[in-house]
Amino acid sequence: MNEQNVQSRKTGDKRQDFISKYARYFGARRMDLIVNGGRWMIEDFADGAYIHDTDGRRYLDFFVSSGVFNLGHRHPVIMARLRAALETREFGNLLYFSEPKGELARVLAETMPGDLQVVLPTASGSEAVDLAMKLAMGHTGRKRFIHFDSSYHGSTGYSTAMGPDIVRNWAGIENHAFVKLRYGDLDAVRGAIGEDTAAIVIEPVRSNFDGADPGPTFFAELRKLCDENGTLLIVDEVVTGMGRLGTLWGSEYNRISPDIVVAAKGLSGGVFPLGAVVMKPAIIECWGDHPYRSFSTYAWSNVGAEVAIAAIKETCKILPAANSAGKLLEDALGVLRQNHPDKISSVRKVGLVFAIDFNVERLRALEFATALFHRGVVIPPAAISMPTSPIARLLPPLILTQEHVDEFLDKADDALKNLG
């Protein structure tokens, strides 16, 4: 979007006007906490790698809503596919098939690792995780799950039970069937897995906290343990999929052979949400003679399926350039560390997930994120269970360029000069 269009665009309520008109409808105390946190805006529009607010400020988006906007905002290829679909399609009925739904199922199955062939539609990532867990219980006849610390798998039902205490406890979610282990700790898995374990739920890289990467050897051993115990391996690709680890699916990055993959966020192309559960054919046999043991009214609209197909194809097309740009950002973070050795202890990169480790005695990630926000850069919030975390994450869009990297470096450097 050119500068003339930006200036002439009609904006909505400014921040204080919005608060006066609408805050009570979102919960007064909740809104007070958000406002006092210092990192909030009233979004007006977004374009490419940027978000614009109603006060006329522009923000470089290195958060991308944890992967929803992997292709940036309003990507021209995605918008063209959306407009064309809206001209010829409607939402569609949850019980019926269509060519777009069939084609999306085929594309997903053909791009997945191993022999994952059966695809079930969902409306979100949380819903996909819940469905995968129900399938695991139905297939194995077991109800116990292993998951890992500082991971996030959703906020509905079973997925909530694997969340941080601050998410789970207030809702009264019982935790007796869920065993939380340290991410990457193979000995802990060996001690916990057994004949009562339905599934292990894990991300290829721990995206919600620090980009921790246990490597392909860990996942090969995990696969072996699952096979020995009749346990399913559920891989959560809601964040790590759609190019985030430099491959279309994070399972490719760590050479994982899953039984079930769940996907969402980036599948939407940033404009039409949907998710998916992709599994080995034998798993769905637990449904028996009933074809609709689980269904979702808003899953896989015809329009959404058209958009998701375009998002997958575009992601595959731009991945080489995205990986090259990721190296530019890695180099920039190295410069940032050299400029501020007293504040930054290390920087790490896994695909297009970046982590900055701060010297906890000098700086916290939340302080850095707030300083960046006020300079026009949005990065992921600190992990919800660790507001005092010394680790800041960066999730840049796959359309990253040298210009974006330079802007981030300039603003991050200025922020660090004025912090601590």
Side-chain angles (χ1 to χ4, degrees):
M1 186 173 290
N2 62 42
E3 187 65 24
Q4 182 179 358
N5 287 337
V6 171
Q7 291 178 347
S8 64
R9 186 182 177 100
K10 184 179 184 296
T11 60
D13 291 313
K14 304 296 189 287
R15 293 200 302 174
Q16 292 307 315
D17 293 334
F18 184 94
I19 290 296
S20 298
K21 290 172 64 175
Y22 302 116
R24 62 184 178 275
Y25 303 115
F26 293 100
R29 176 167 173 75
R30 172 175 174 268
M31 289 301 292
D32 283 344
L33 291 170
I34 290 172
V35 171
N36 291 334
R39 290 185 298 150
W40 65 288
M41 72 174 88
I42 309 302
E43 291 181 293
D44 183 25
F45 67 98
D47 184 72
Y50 294 94
I51 304 169
H52 300 255
D53 73 7
T54 55
D55 285 293
R57 289 186 289 263
R58 187 180 80 163
Y59 301 84
L60 179 62
D61 188 3
F62 272 26
F63 174 25
V64 297
S65 199
S66 291
V68 172
F69 303 106
N70 274 354
L71 294 174
H73 299 269
R74 297 176 58 83
H75 190 288
V77 170
I78 303 302
M79 296 306 296
R81 190 65 171 266
L82 174 63
R83 293 186 186 100
L86 287 170
E87 288 294 323
T88 58
R89 304 279 184 186
E90 65 161 11
F91 196 96
N93 190 297
L94 78 159
L95 299 180
Y96 305 144
F97 297 103
S98 68
E99 187 68 23
K101 292 177 185 179
E103 184 64 12
L104 176 56
R106 181 190 68 79
V107 170
L108 280 169
E110 290 185 353
T111 60
M112 286 287 165
D115 57 347
L116 276 63
Q117 298 177 20
V118 175
V119 185
L120 293 178
T122 70
S124 71
S126 293
E127 186 182 308
V129 171
D130 273 6
L131 177 54
M133 296 175 74
K134 287 187 284 187
L135 285 161
M137 287 186 281
H139 178 71
T140 64
R142 307 169 182 179
K143 295 185 177 181
R144 188 166 173 268
F145 292 87
I146 291 173
H147 62 108
F148 297 88
D149 63 335
S150 296
S151 296
Y152 176 77
H153 298 289
S155 57
T156 60
Y158 296 114
S159 63
T160 303
M162 297 186 293
D165 291 345
I166 194 172
V167 173
R168 184 184 65 247
N169 290 349
W170 74 274
I173 300 295
E174 295 297 329
N175 205 33
H176 63 274
F178 296 85
V179 179
K180 181 167 66 176
L181 305 178
R182 186 167 64 87
Y183 187 80
D185 189 337
L186 203 57
D187 287 336
V189 177
R190 291 190 184 101
I193 196 170
E195 294 182 354
D196 61 345
T197 309
I200 293 175
V201 185
I202 191 169
E203 292 181 293
V205 164
R206 188 168 62 185
S207 66
N208 189 51
F209 179 39
D210 60 355
D213 177 13
T217 300
F218 169 81
F219 285 101
E221 288 299 313
L222 207 61
R223 176 72 271 172
K224 182 180 178 182
L225 287 170
C226 286
D227 290 340
E228 290 172 351
N229 289 275
T231 297
L232 297 186
L233 181 57
I234 299 174
V235 177
D236 183 345
E237 294 265 22
V238 172
V239 176
T240 60
M242 294 298 287
R244 181 50 56 186
L245 299 188
T247 53
L248 183 61
W249 302 110
S251 296
E252 301 171 65
Y253 173 83
N254 264 326
R255 301 197 293 277
I256 307 171
S257 179
D259 296 297
I260 300 176
V261 164
V262 297
K265 292 194 186 294
L267 268 180
S268 71
V271 297
F272 217 111
L274 77 172
V277 179
V278 191
M279 75 199 81
K280 293 180 177 178
I283 294 173
I284 201 172
E285 292 304 311
C286 67
W287 279 16
D289 294 332
H290 199 304
Y292 297 113
R293 287 193 182 273
S294 180
F295 53 87
S296 175
T297 302
Y298 291 112
W300 280 35
S301 70
N302 294 320
V303 174
E306 294 262 18
V307 167
I309 294 166
I312 292 171
K313 292 180 178 178
E314 187 63 22
T315 299
C316 291
K317 179 181 177 181
I318 70 172
L319 265 177
N323 287 326
S324 296
K327 181 62 170 63
L328 296 176
L329 181 55
E330 182 182 26
D331 293 343
L333 291 175
V335 171
L336 200 65
R337 183 188 180 193
Q338 290 177 358
N339 291 348
H340 304 278
D342 58 326
K343 296 173 183 173
I344 298 177
S345 57
S346 67
V347 295
R348 285 166 292 129
K349 170 183 178 292
V350 181
L352 289 159
V353 177
F354 300 83
I356 305 173
D357 299 298
F358 292 109
N359 180 344
V360 71
E361 300 300 323
R362 295 295 307 276
L363 193 62
R364 303 290 171 86
L366 193 58
E367 297 173 83
F368 178 66
T370 301
L372 274 184
F373 182 86
H374 291 296
R375 287 164 173 79
V377 179
V378 177
I379 67 171
I384 193 167
S385 59
M386 297 189 66
T388 60
S389 171
I391 303 169
R393 294 177 297 141
L394 308 177
L395 298 175
L398 305 186
I399 58 168
L400 187 69
T401 66
Q402 180 71 65
E403 181 181 358
H404 301 142
V405 172
D406 291 343
E407 179 180 353
F408 170 80
L409 179 59
D410 287 345
K411 292 181 176 179
D413 188 62
D414 183 65
L416 290 172
K417 287 177 180 176
N418 290 277
L419 287 171

